[in-house]
């Protein structure tokens, strides 16, 4: 039986953990492929965002790789090599490293972050094609409830 032939009753009995895992891997793969097509990686974008005072960084202060790994702990993947990704950004002139081994965002890096952020709406639109906003919100609320029911916390 193909997924399209599974009844609602059968779907209701399927494990959410399986489907959320499949969805996570598919969404990450799609997003990363789109970013690679544009010439950057998701970890590179995260580095820029985490170092920008106009984005995730609260103060725009430089950070070591260890500090960046801790800051990204909830979303970095095991295969992500932040040291290698940072080297690429250093070579591009988007980051600089100071004498204390802290990475800092350059003006060129800030402009790159802004430019790369412009790709996000197209990626989101492609992923949300055929999904009503109300259905999307309901799905997220159901996932949040599942998280809470499992003893997790929802940020």
């Amino acid at each position: 039986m193909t997924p399209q032939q599974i009844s609602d009753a059968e779907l209701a009995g399927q494990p959410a953990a399986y489907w959320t895992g499949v969805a996570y891997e598919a969404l990450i793969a799609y997003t990363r492929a789109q970013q690679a097509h544009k010439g950057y990686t998701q970890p590179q974008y995260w580095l820029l965002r985490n170092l920008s005072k106009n984005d995730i960084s609260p103060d725009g202060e430089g950070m070591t790789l260890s500090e960046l790994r801790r800051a990204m702990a909830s979303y970095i993947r095991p295969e992500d090599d932040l040291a290698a990704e940072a080297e690429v950004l250093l070579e591009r002139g988007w980051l600089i490293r100071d004498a204390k081994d802290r990475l800092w965002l350059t003006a060129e890096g800030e402009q790159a972050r802004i430019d790369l952020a412009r790709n996000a709406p197209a990626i989101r639109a492609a992923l949300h094609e055929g999904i009503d906003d109300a259905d999307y919100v309901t799905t997220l609320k159901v996932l949040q409830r599942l998280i809470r029911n499992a003893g997790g916390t929802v940020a």
Side-chain angles (χ1 to χ4, degrees), residues 79-132:
E79 67 269 20
D80 293 338
D81 182 347
L82 287 187
E85 300 291 1
E87 286 302 319
V88 172
L89 299 180
L90 287 161
E91 290 170 16
R92 290 181 183 171
W94 295 357
L95 298 180
I96 56 171
R97 182 178 284 130
D98 68 17
K100 294 182 181 177
D101 226 19
R102 297 173 72 78
L103 296 169
W104 294 80
L105 189 63
T106 65
E108 293 83 4
E110 177 62 13
Q111 186 59 55
R113 183 195 64 79
I114 292 166
D115 294 342
L116 299 178
R118 291 188 181 117
N119 296 316
I123 293 170
R124 183 192 188 281
L127 291 172
H128 286 241
E129 185 178 339
I131 301 170
D132 180 271

Side-chain angles (χ1 to χ4, degrees):
M1 189 177 278
T2 66
Q4 291 79 16
Q5 296 171 327
I6 296 174
S7 71
D8 286 355
E10 290 171 310
L11 278 174
Q14 296 212 342
Y18 169 77
W19 287 108
T20 57
V22 171
Y24 173 76
E25 292 300 329
L27 295 170
I28 292 294
Y30 179 84
T31 299
R32 288 183 174 213
Q34 296 305 304
Q35 291 171 328
H37 181 71
K38 298 285 187 179
Y40 67 100
T41 67
Q42 192 172 49
Q44 289 169 359
Y45 183 53
W46 289 338
L47 285 165
L48 297 175
R49 293 191 67 203
N50 275 274
L51 292 168
S52 174
K53 66 182 176 187
N54 299 310
D55 203 332
I56 296 174
S57 175
D59 55 17
E61 293 295 313
M63 297 172 77
T64 65
L65 282 173
S66 294
E67 291 168 331
L68 285 159
R69 278 188 201 94
R70 281 192 299 278
M72 298 181 208
S74 66
Y75 50 89
I76 195 164
R77 293 176 57 100
E79 67 269 20
D80 293 338
D81 182 347
L82 287 187
E85 300 291 1
E87 286 302 319
V88 172
L89 299 180
L90 287 161
E91 290 170 16
R92 290 181 183 171
W94 295 357
L95 298 180
I96 56 171
R97 182 178 284 130
D98 68 17
K100 294 182 181 177
D101 226 19
R102 297 173 72 78
L103 296 169
W104 294 80
L105 189 63
T106 65
E108 293 83 4
E110 177 62 13
Q111 186 59 55
R113 183 195 64 79
I114 292 166
D115 294 342
L116 299 178
R118 291 188 181 117
N119 296 316
I123 293 170
R124 183 192 188 281
L127 291 172
H128 286 241
E129 185 178 339
I131 301 170
D132 180 271
D133 280 348
D135 289 340
Y136 181 73
V137 169
T138 297
T139 300
L140 294 184
K141 287 180 178 181
V142 168
L143 289 172
Q144 290 173 346
R145 181 58 189 213
L146 286 167
I147 292 164
R148 286 191 298 274
N149 288 349
T153 57
V154 177

